[in-house]
Amino acid sequence: MADLTTTYMGLTLRNPIVVSSSGLTGTLKGVVKCAEAGAGAIVLKSLFEEQISAETGALGRFADAAAPGEGADYLQSYGMALGPRDYLQLVREAKQAVAVPIIASLNCISHEHWTDYAAQLAAAGADAIELNIALMPTLAHLEGPTVEEHYYRILQEVKARVDIPVALKIGPFFSALAHVADRLSHDRAEAPDFTVGWFGPNTTPGKIVWRGADALVLFNRFYPFDIDIERLQPATGSPWSTSAEIHTSLRWISILAGRVGCDLAATTGIHDGRDAVKQLLAGATVVQVCSTLYQNGLGRIGQMLEQIEDWMQAHGFVTLPEFRGRLSQLRSERPASYERLQYVRLLGGD
Ligand SMILES: Cc1cc2nc3c(=O)[nH]c(=O)nc-3n(C[C@H](O)[C@H](O)[C@H](O)COP(=O)(O)O)c2cc1C
């Protein structure tokens, strides 16, 4: 009998399948259904700053009618402290209703809101917080380090305000992702060097500062941009991923596993038990699922668990640590194959 229990950010999970932040986890009913379907943990739908602003903006308009000029300003800050009551209520009720860990999710734009709301989510009883940070660096004058600093600062400030674990959910678009992932995570006992390739040896100057993420969630799948060539308009692509989208996350989980001082959660393109096993072999602590649950129903969680168990039995594994990270780059006999980007060999007929 396979034992699928795992720890994620210090929390005990009955299995490594986490329902990721989405409409499936935005209501108490949805949360209960996910737990009943067998999820190991649940990430609530993100609380977006736009929502916070809408709520406090409505309060402000109401106050302005009573005290023109000052009401909105006052209530803007008052409302921020109050928080979107419904979301905090969802956290409280979810914690009471289900036994699996509840991870609240936050997406803010301005600095002060990240910390204030993270503190409120922790006070409401969330087991952990996932910061869903997504910045579109479209300004030509904005340099990479400035953008990175923004991520670091948010995380550092939130960590300073809460004492529950904090995960950071990011996209893959960084010029030096391994470096950013390292600096976002905890200090490590051992810091094995990345393969020295075209860039040469480590040349990072100065004191190293780790910002202490308890987990990195790799990678968010952003709203897909498309173009409608008939209507000559911008359009949106499919909201659902396919299994074919697993590769970016799989590559980076396998490269970062054992090298960054935090847990790794894989998200995007995990659709069945086989996909989950791949990510676990790469070194993921847990896998997050979303599209496959929308497409196949919550029963998919049970199917995935069965597939993982069957695979473990067929390969003689009883617990997850026996094979987790077995195919990470760090433990691989063929580390170069994880860094191959080009199809050069095809030209030689290989
Ligand atoms: C309808 C929908 C709503 C989502 N809402 C959120 C959200 O509020 N916060 C968040 O961090 N990710 C959100 N996501 C992204 C998912 O959590 C997940 O990271 C992404 O869909 C990739 O995983 P998948 O391939 O399993 O779908 C949403 C995705 C979908 C399809």
Side-chain angles (χ1 to χ4, degrees):
M1 182 71 184
D3 175 4
L4 295 183
T5 55
T6 189
T7 54
Y8 175 52
M9 300 193 280
L11 305 168
T12 302
L13 274 57
R14 57 183 163 175
N15 67 63
I17 298 192
V18 175
V19 180
S20 69
S21 178
S22 66
L24 296 168
T25 61
T27 61
L28 182 62
K29 204 167 149 196
V31 168
V32 170
K33 279 189 185 167
C34 291
E36 284 172 356
I42 295 164
V43 188
L44 299 180
K45 170 88 185 147
S46 296
L47 171 62
F48 288 92
E49 188 170 318
E50 286 97 317
Q51 252 172 286
I52 298 168
S53 303
E55 192 168 315
T56 53
L59 282 169
R61 278 191 297 282
F62 176 74
D64 253 356
E70 290 173 27
D73 281 354
Y74 170 70
L75 273 181
Q76 188 73 8
S77 51
Y78 175 72
M80 292 300 173
L82 190 68
R85 286 148 293 184
D86 290 351
Y87 195 89
L88 294 171
Q89 188 62 14
L90 174 63
V91 173
R92 281 186 214 105
E93 289 178 354
K95 274 303 297 167
Q96 280 178 358
V98 301
V100 297
I102 294 295
I103 302 170
S105 169
L106 191 55
N107 175 300
C108 289
I109 300 158
S110 42
H111 272 293
E112 63 275 19
H113 296 163
W114 284 106
T115 47
D116 286 351
Y117 280 89
Q120 291 190 50
L121 295 173
D127 292 297
I129 296 179
E130 191 175 283
L131 303 177
N132 165 15
I133 309 186
L135 307 170
M136 266 292 275
T138 50
L139 301 173
H141 69 263
L142 198 58
E143 295 183 330
T146 309
V147 179
E148 289 164 14
E149 198 50 49
H150 202 68
Y151 283 78
Y152 298 155
R153 202 175 136 195
I154 292 166
L155 176 61
Q156 221 162 2
E157 289 175 3
V158 169
K159 284 289 291 182
R161 284 287 297 277
V162 302
D163 51 16
I164 56 174
V166 178
L168 201 70
K169 184 177 187 181
I170 57 173
F173 306 113
F174 290 88
S175 60
L177 181 62
H179 174 80
V180 172
D182 176 62
R183 297 304 189 263
L184 287 169
S185 69
H186 281 277
D187 189 0
R188 292 153 289 134
E190 254 177 71
D193 254 347
F194 285 88
T195 315
V196 175
W198 54 271
F199 190 67
N202 183 2
T203 53
T204 310
K207 184 171 168 285
I208 298 175
V209 181
W210 283 280
R211 274 82 185 180
D214 298 285
L216 292 175
V217 184
L218 308 175
F219 294 108
N220 204 348
R221 180 179 189 269
F222 298 124
Y223 213 64
F225 177 77
D226 204 351
I227 284 180
D228 184 329
I229 62 167
E230 296 309 326
R231 294 187 178 157
L232 277 70
Q233 280 179 359
T236 48
S238 170
W240 319 128
S241 69
T242 67
S243 266
E245 292 176 48
I246 197 175
H247 304 292
T248 305
S249 161
L250 191 62
R251 182 195 289 267
W252 280 104
I253 294 274
S254 63
I255 288 174
L256 296 175
R259 283 177 161 152
V260 289
C262 68
D263 286 341
L264 297 172
T267 174
T268 294
I270 300 153
H271 280 245
D272 56 25
R274 290 172 59 84
D275 292 336
V277 167
K278 287 182 192 179
Q279 290 285 14
L280 293 165
L281 281 168
T285 315
V286 295
V287 297
Q288 295 196 359
V289 285
C290 175
S291 293
T292 192
L293 303 184
Y294 274 103
Q295 292 172 315
N296 302 299
L298 294 175
R300 189 64 158 195
I301 296 173
Q303 291 166 6
M304 288 179 72
L305 291 171
E306 258 176 52
Q307 288 168 341
I308 297 171
E309 281 180 347
D310 288 349
W311 178 88
M312 285 171 69
Q313 200 171 6
H315 289 81
F317 297 121
V318 179
T319 67
L320 299 183
E322 288 168 21
F323 68 94
R324 180 184 280 126
R326 183 122 160 196
L327 288 175
S328 61
Q329 187 187 32
L330 199 60
R331 289 169 62 185
S332 172
E333 285 161 14
R334 299 170 59 203
S337 57
Y338 292 71
E339 296 178 18
R340 185 173 298 147
L341 293 174
Q342 311 288 354
Y343 299 92
V344 180
R345 279 167 180 261
L346 284 179
L347 299 175
D350 185 354

